[in-house]
Amino acid sequence: MVRVQVPATTANLGPGFDCLGMALQLYNSVEMSVASSGLHIEVQGEGNTDLPRDEDNMVFQAARKVFKLSGHQPPGLRIRLVNNIPVARGLGSSTAAVVGGMIAANIITGNKLDQREIINLAHGMEGHPDNVAAAVLGGIVVAVPADGEVRCLKIPPPKNLRAAVSIPDFPLSTRLSREALPQQVPISDAIFNLGRVALLVSALFNGDINQFGVAMEDRIHQPYRTNLVPGMKKVFAAARLAGAKGITLSGSGPSIIAYSDSNLDLIARVMRDTFRQNGVSARSMVLSISPVGARALEIK
Ligand code: HSE
């Protein structure tokens, strides 16, 4: 039996669409063992009412890829998921499933794949590398697909940086949220984002979170997603007033994440209340950055 813990992740950090990601201290656990026959899946916590228990389950699908690659097909499989990451809320639940399934299967088959190969394989399933790289490596990560593989580098997180996350009660699939994006953006918006993403990476390295207000601005995905998240602009404004240094949609949404080194509880409450005032029931959490990525907690 192997038990793997995988962190939640927030992608983009505003302007870094599909290339910046951060791991958060909120974890799913994937327990996997070989059975004599059949597929047995148990789900506890988030998604326990609607996640598939058959071959459509993402953890199983990810594990199956690793079994195929390693040439080791177990006669049956037992999977137990304990989920703390809300499903389809922009906090990397599908990435956690994919990465958790792959790492568990990799351990069962004798660790034939290294971290880089897991990231490449998971990127193939997810289609964008930002959540995947952060979930595997932990911390804050730049991830860029190039020449058939994902190049990733970690960025040291600023001291005392934490996040207030407000999570609406409705799901939003990444597919739908990407369908809202245009095929082309004006060159002026591309220039706007290039400058901000460079400023953000530099601000992170310098620990200068006072740059976040400008450095986390974005013009290439968030404006097109505003209509999918009722109250989004008001939640941004309220978080800013409550002292947030930077505010972004978390991944493809609908959660909104605000960063600061103080007043996080207040910011979280104000964001949740503003969602509610706009007819969206929501909950909020305060989370620290997870310095560690996915890892085995138990092998026996
Ligand atoms: N970069 C991806 C997007 C993340 O924004 O669509 C999805 O979680």
Side-chain angles (χ1 to χ4, degrees):
M1 186 277 281
V2 50
R3 186 158 61 89
V4 173
Q5 170 188 271
V6 195
T9 47
T10 183
N12 307 327
L13 312 187
F17 182 68
D18 278 2
C19 66
L20 290 182
M22 180 192 285
L24 299 165
Q25 285 190 6
L26 178 72
Y27 302 95
N28 280 2
S29 120
V30 174
E31 220 175 272
M32 194 178 284
S33 51
V34 174
S36 50
S37 68
L39 173 61
H40 314 271
I41 301 181
E42 186 192 330
V43 185
Q44 284 177 24
E46 298 289 338
N48 71 334
T49 49
D50 33 43
L51 287 177
R53 265 75 162 174
D54 56 14
E55 295 202 350
D56 286 341
N57 185 283
M58 294 248 296
V59 174
F60 171 74
Q61 291 189 353
R64 187 166 56 187
K65 283 203 188 297
V66 172
F67 290 136
K68 270 212 180 106
L69 269 179
S70 69
H72 170 112
Q73 203 56 51
L77 205 61
R78 196 171 296 283
I79 297 173
R80 183 164 164 265
L81 308 176
V82 181
N83 292 342
N84 292 306
I85 307 172
V87 176
R89 300 296 196 280
L91 290 167
S93 62
S94 71
T95 291
V98 167
V99 166
M102 286 183 177
I103 291 183
N106 191 39
I107 295 170
I108 287 176
T109 51
N111 278 312
K112 297 208 170 81
L113 305 177
D114 62 22
Q115 236 179 14
R116 226 187 30 166
E117 290 167 314
I118 295 275
I119 291 174
N120 291 336
L121 201 58
H123 171 235
M125 271 186 88
E126 284 287 85
H128 48 90
D130 37 8
N131 296 91
V132 164
V136 173
L137 300 175
I140 306 175
V141 180
V142 183
V144 177
D147 308 323
E149 62 166 18
V150 181
R151 295 203 181 191
C152 326
L153 287 174
K154 284 182 84 161
I155 302 174
K159 244 178 57 200
N160 300 327
L161 182 67
R162 285 188 300 152
V165 188
S166 201
I167 307 157
D169 270 353
F170 66 89
L172 174 58
S173 74
T174 297
R175 186 185 53 76
L176 209 73
S177 187
R178 290 178 88 86
E179 276 172 17
L181 305 181
Q183 288 303 308
Q184 296 184 329
V185 294
I187 185 78
S188 54
D189 289 351
I191 293 168
F192 181 98
N193 267 55
L194 281 172
R196 265 114 187 122
V197 88
L199 184 65
L200 178 55
V201 170
S202 174
L204 289 166
F205 266 105
N206 285 287
D208 186 356
I209 70 170
N210 289 318
Q211 301 291 338
F212 282 8
V214 169
M216 287 189 169
E217 288 176 331
D218 158 70
R219 281 195 189 158
I220 66 173
H221 70 104
Q222 290 181 176
Y224 305 102
R225 291 171 157 170
T226 310
N227 287 342
L228 301 172
V229 185
M232 175 170 152
K233 281 190 177 152
K234 292 195 173 133
V235 174
F236 272 50
R240 194 167 298 114
L241 268 179
K245 304 283 188 186
I247 308 132
T248 77
L249 201 58
S250 184
S252 58
S255 296
I256 294 177
I257 184 161
Y259 300 91
S260 184
D261 55 0
S262 58
N263 294 332
L264 273 302
D265 290 325
L266 173 71
I267 297 166
R269 199 167 57 241
V270 160
M271 289 165 76
R272 182 201 60 201
D273 291 347
T274 308
F275 259 134
R276 288 183 182 169
Q277 282 153 18
N278 286 274
V280 177
S281 59
R283 56 187 155 140
S284 278
M285 309 181 181
V286 173
L287 298 172
S288 298
I289 300 172
S290 173
V292 293
R295 56 185 177 156
L297 290 187
E298 217 180 324
I299 302 177
K300 54 185 189 205

